[in-house]
Structures are given as C-alpha cells and as structure tokens.
Amino acid sequence: MKNIIIIGGGIVGLSSAYFLQKEGYQVTVIDKSDITSGASFVNAGYITPSHIIPMASPGKIAQGIKWMFDSSSPFYIKPRWDIDFFKWSWYFHKSSTAAKVEQAIPVIKDINILSRGLYEDIKASGDLGDFHLERKGLLMIYKTDAAFEHEMEVAQKASFLGLEVAELNKSQLETIEPDIKIDAKGAIHYECDGHMSPTELMPKLLAFLKSAGVQVKTKEEVLDLSVSNGKISTIRTSNGSYTADEIILAAGSWSGILSKKLNIKLPLQAGKGYRINVPRPLGISMPSILMEASMAVTPMREFTRFAGTMEFSGINTTIRKERVLAIANGAKNFYPELEITQEEIADAKTGMRPVSPDGLPYIGKSKDIKNLTFATGHAMMGWSLGPATGKLVSEIMGNKKTSMDISAFAPGRKF
C-alpha cells in the first residue's frame, strides 16, 4: 500500500489524513507548528453552502484600493513592492467578472454540500467521540437597505440552487435571537448552514489520527524538496529527510513558497484574519455575519467568537491592534449592550488563510510532478471545505471517480 506524506496539519491536511488512513494508506503528516494555532484554530467554524460568491467578484479590487490606506478596514491591502502579489492581484482582477463568478457559484455550492455531509458522517461514525456540530443556519444581519439588497441577490441565487433561505424582519430577528439586543433592520437566514467549535475538533481529530497509526511530525519545517525523473524523491526537513510514494501539499499559506522550490508557480497569497473569544454567556445563540462590519459571530462550546477581516500583508503573525479594535467596535455597533473587555481584546489571535486569485481552492494532481497532489488555497472556506477536500484527495490517490467534478480546482488552471 502506498506511503503518503501530507505537508501541513491544518483542517485540510488532517482531513486528508483521515480519509487516506480509512483507505489503508500509510500516512505521515509533517507540520512546522505544534498544531495548536493558525487559521484552523482561529476561524469562525462555519459550514457554509450559502457562501456561493467567491471573493474575486466585481468591485472587490476597487473596494480594496479604496480601503488600502485604512489599516482598520475589513479588506486591507498593505502597500508594498512584491512581484508575486502584483501578479496575484492581476489574476484576481481578471477573475473578478460576473461571468467567472456565475461559473464558480454551482461548484462552490457542491463542494460545500459534500463537506457538510462528510462532517455529519464523521460525527455519526463516533471516531472522534462527541463534538460540537449544529445546523441552525447562518444569519446575515444588516442595518441598511443597500446591504439588504446586495444580500437578497445572493439569497435568490442560493434559493434557485436549492439552498434553504428565509428573510427575517426586525421582529422575526428578535424572535430567533431573543436574549441579546440587536441594532439592525433584519436578516437573511441561510438555514442550509452549520457551525462548529474548531478548537474542540482539531485536537480530537489529531488524537484519532495518532491512535489510527498516522505518523504526525510536529515542529518540523519542510526546507527543500528534491525531484528526479519527474517525481519528488526526497523531502528534507529541519529534523531529517523522508521519501514517499505520494506527496500531498496542504500547507495553507505556505504552499506557494514550497511550490516555488519545485519550480511550480502557484498563485497564492496569505489573507490574515483575526479573532476575539468571549468566554462569558452573552445571549448570542445564532451564528451571524454582521454585514456592514464584515465580521462573523459564532457561539462555540466554550466561548462566543468574533472573527473577521482580510488583510493582505504577506506571511506574518503581527497583530494589528486597530484591526482587532475594528472587530470589537463592529460587534458593539450591532449588539449595543455588548461589552468586550480589554483582556479579551488583548487575547486576540490571528491566522493566515491561503487565497487563490479566483477564490477556488487548488485540489488535484500536479501536471508537472507525477507524485504531487495539491490541497490548498481555500481562502475563507478552509474549515467548511476540509472534509470534502480530504475525501477528494483520497479518491485521487486511489484513481477513483471523484465525488464531484474537480476540473474547476485544477492547480495548473489559467487565470
């Protein structure tokens, strides 16, 4: 049976390991961290079939340029000289057309629906014991008519595709979320969505994989990859070297850097997000996106999480105080009686999301290197798409018919 190395221990890498070990493969996961932090731990925990519009959409670049010099804005691009970023931006611009978005919508919906079912299957299997997984849906809460009209366009597309959507006025919003005051006109309720607690699931998934015989190498950085006869022959790390029949590149925002070592151009940029956890009862029971604040609110098992912002400033873990405060202020704007403490703000964490230029992930075999498969570039949907990506990777490894058409995710696609 094939020996497979997965580079990257986030939700995508661990989900890939989960489905591969089920098929009987020998699996090793290598991660440069201790797998207790990063995007898979600080995200909003959403399972989002409703997020059918890719980030690369009409008007996004103009919005980004407008916000470029406001470092507290929801979509912030740090001005810098970076050739890779310029190229990525040009591809992003080319992808931001109405026609490209229409092509992407059904593909994004299908992979999200696939993943939602797989999370439910994992829970039903009992492999990880009990973990938080709810299907209450997601509220898109709005204050202005402009936000409502924008979201209604998305809601109509989602409804047309068969997703369950409802429109809530102010009193209906108060009925569905009775225990906290909300300053808003109403909400669109995507009943098709679900939510989880990532900080609970990740350790359980990791523990299960180890018990199932998956080798997990933490605090071990991949430094170089050697190629011979069109295949990766050796992986050199900070601790030694490895060989494998197949390599899965699931290194999130670092995937582009590792691809360069293989002379593969993988357009990818790190989009930094932030989170604040509030471990007190707040009366918030529904996962919500506060539209004008461009931020997410998720009631998780041990706290309520406020998360958001997309910051393109390269790969770094610098926490910009003004961006954290923008999240706290955005929450206060919608929940006027909410007080997030200075301690909670000071405990903010960050994570890097890997963003492709067209908002679709890279899932599939490399056209340049025979034993390399990509599983990265999921942008803000990494958590939502983890299991689907893992399942697709296991099908690719077994040369099986994939659960859905993955041609739109081709790593070598033209932008």
Side-chain angles (χ1 to χ4, degrees):
M1 189 51 89
K2 281 180 188 168
N3 165 27
I4 299 175
I5 286 179
I6 300 169
I7 303 173
I11 186 62
V12 171
L14 296 190
S15 294
S16 298
Y18 178 84
F19 287 102
L20 288 165
Q21 62 82 28
K22 290 277 182 198
E23 295 295 319
Y25 296 106
Q26 282 184 290
V27 183
T28 302
V29 176
I30 303 174
D31 196 281
K32 65 186 189 58
S33 76
D34 59 0
I35 316 184
T36 60
S37 62
S40 294
F41 289 84
V42 305
N43 65 84
Y46 290 163
I47 305 163
T48 49
S50 69
H51 278 32
I52 53 175
I53 307 295
M55 204 176 82
S57 53
K60 195 57 117 174
I61 284 281
Q63 190 181 52
I65 290 167
K66 188 175 77 179
W67 281 341
M68 187 181 276
F69 300 102
D70 176 5
S71 62
S72 65
S73 66
F75 183 79
Y76 173 59
I77 300 168
K78 183 184 179 186
R80 66 192 192 280
W81 185 265
D82 180 338
I83 298 296
D84 287 339
F85 182 68
F86 296 152
K87 284 181 183 169
W88 180 91
S89 301
W90 174 242
Y91 297 147
F92 185 97
H93 169 69
K94 285 171 71 180
S95 301
S96 300
T97 65
K100 291 270 177 75
V101 169
E102 288 303 319
Q103 283 175 342
I105 285 171
V107 183
I108 294 172
K109 185 212 78 167
D110 287 349
I111 190 170
N112 269 288
I113 295 279
L114 173 63
S115 216
R116 184 182 71 182
L118 290 168
Y119 267 126
E120 287 163 357
D121 291 349
I122 292 168
K123 177 144 185 164
S125 74
D127 285 343
L128 313 191
D130 176 52
F131 61 85
H132 177 217
L133 172 63
E134 288 188 83
R135 276 277 294 278
K136 286 184 170 182
L138 175 70
L139 297 177
M140 301 292 289
I141 304 178
Y142 59 87
K143 283 176 171 286
T144 60
D145 292 339
F148 166 69
E149 285 158 17
H150 172 80
E151 195 55 41
M152 268 311 289
E153 282 184 32
V154 180
Q156 283 159 2
K157 287 187 170 90
S159 184
F160 177 76
L161 290 169
L163 298 174
E164 306 86 3
V165 191
E167 191 185 328
L168 307 180
N169 62 27
K170 191 174 176 65
S171 67
Q172 288 168 317
L173 177 58
E174 287 166 359
T175 302
I176 202 170
E177 193 67 297
D179 297 327
I180 189 162
K181 182 178 168 58
I182 304 176
D183 182 5
K185 280 193 168 184
I188 307 290
H189 184 197
Y190 289 101
E191 297 164 0
C192 50
D193 288 12
H195 73 285
M196 305 174 68
S197 301
T199 50
E200 173 196 46
L201 183 94
M202 285 294 286
K204 289 190 172 191
L205 180 52
L206 198 56
F208 169 77
L209 292 174
K210 288 175 179 174
S211 73
V214 172
Q215 294 289 308
V216 181
K217 310 285 184 182
T218 55
K219 295 189 177 173
E220 194 162 341
E221 186 174 1
V222 173
L223 302 175
D224 209 359
L225 304 119
S226 304
V227 178
S228 62
N229 300 321
K231 285 184 160 189
I232 295 172
S233 53
T234 313
I235 297 174
R236 188 168 65 80
T237 74
S238 48
N239 287 8
S241 62
Y242 300 86
T243 59
D245 299 313
E246 297 283 346
I247 315 296
I248 315 294
L249 185 54
S253 294
W254 288 264
S255 301
I257 294 167
L258 291 172
S259 296
K260 269 189 172 178
K261 294 181 186 296
L262 297 165
N263 293 316
I264 294 173
K265 292 185 175 68
L266 189 78
L268 197 71
Q269 285 292 316
K272 190 195 289 184
Y274 294 80
R275 69 90 177 126
I276 299 170
N277 291 341
V278 177
R280 305 171 273 123
L282 297 178
I284 295 172
S285 67
M286 290 292 294
S288 306
I289 288 182
L290 313 180
M291 288 195 65
E292 288 84 354
S294 295
M295 59 175 284
V297 182
T298 316
M300 296 186 180
R301 269 220 166 138
E302 295 178 355
F303 42 74
T304 302
R305 173 165 288 177
F306 299 86
T309 87
M310 182 60 86
E311 174 187 325
F312 291 105
S313 59
I315 293 181
N316 65 79
T317 53
T318 306
I319 292 182
R320 288 175 170 263
K321 195 73 183 284
E322 68 273 23
R323 299 188 68 68
V324 180
L325 289 173
I327 292 173
N329 294 336
K332 176 77 172 169
N333 205 7
F334 278 79
Y335 304 106
E337 293 173 356
L338 172 69
E339 294 294 341
I340 295 177
T341 68
Q342 288 305 310
E343 289 77 18
E344 287 155 355
I345 289 168
D347 185 50
K349 297 286 187 290
T350 187
M352 317 298 298
R353 315 173 190 98
V355 185
S356 71
D358 60 1
L360 296 176
Y362 297 114
I363 306 170
K365 296 282 277 185
S366 166
K367 63 182 192 345
D368 305 297
I369 294 174
K370 290 176 212 156
N371 64 341
L372 174 64
T373 298
F374 290 91
T376 188
H378 295 75
M380 295 167 85
M381 289 186 286
W383 186 264
S384 189
L385 302 184
T389 305
K391 178 74 170 171
L392 292 166
V393 162
S394 74
E395 291 165 346
I396 291 164
M397 287 299 101
N399 294 313
K400 295 179 181 174
K401 186 180 188 321
T402 50
S403 297
M404 65 174 286
D405 180 1
I406 60 170
S407 54
F409 308 137
R413 63 187 180 266
K414 294 280 182 282
F415 294 104

